Amino acid sequence: MDVLTVLASAGFGSTMYLTTLSTVSWLNQSASPTKVAGMVVVGMVLCALIGTIAFASQSVAIGFILGAGITPPVHRWILQRPGHVASS
């Protein structure tokens, strides 16, 4: 198992999670027909992506799952932290 491949795939998994989260949040603000069509497209893209990753090497699959699994709790933690205002 190649460690760099796992790390690169973890970054990709994290990016895909955040991209999907923002896309779904954006679609939730749309009209109902657009929302349904958009969710179907997002689901199809995710299925194709996961199928491609599952077909790739074990290192890629482990890294992608690791990145996509760690990102949600870290993202929630970042959003809950109190913001600090820089003084000039």
Side-chain angles (χ1 to χ4, degrees):
M1 184 180 320
D2 185 17
V3 175
L4 290 177
T5 303
V6 171
L7 290 175
S9 298
F12 183 68
S14 177
T15 302
M16 287 308 302
Y17 168 80
L18 292 172
T19 302
T20 304
L21 179 69
S22 65
T23 303
V24 169
S25 297
W26 176 72
L27 283 171
N28 276 334
Q29 299 171 1
S30 302
S32 186
T34 306
K35 184 187 308 186
V36 172
M39 294 290 188
V40 168
V41 170
V42 167
M44 289 172 46
V45 168
L46 286 176
C47 285
L49 181 68
I50 290 170
T52 303
I53 288 169
F55 188 70
S57 71
Q58 182 181 6
S59 299
V60 172
I62 289 172
F64 183 81
I65 292 168
L66 182 71
I70 289 175
T71 302
V74 171
H75 186 240
R76 281 191 296 271
W77 177 75
I78 289 171
L79 291 176
Q80 291 175 353
R81 286 184 1 171
H84 297 291
V85 178
S87 59
S88 48

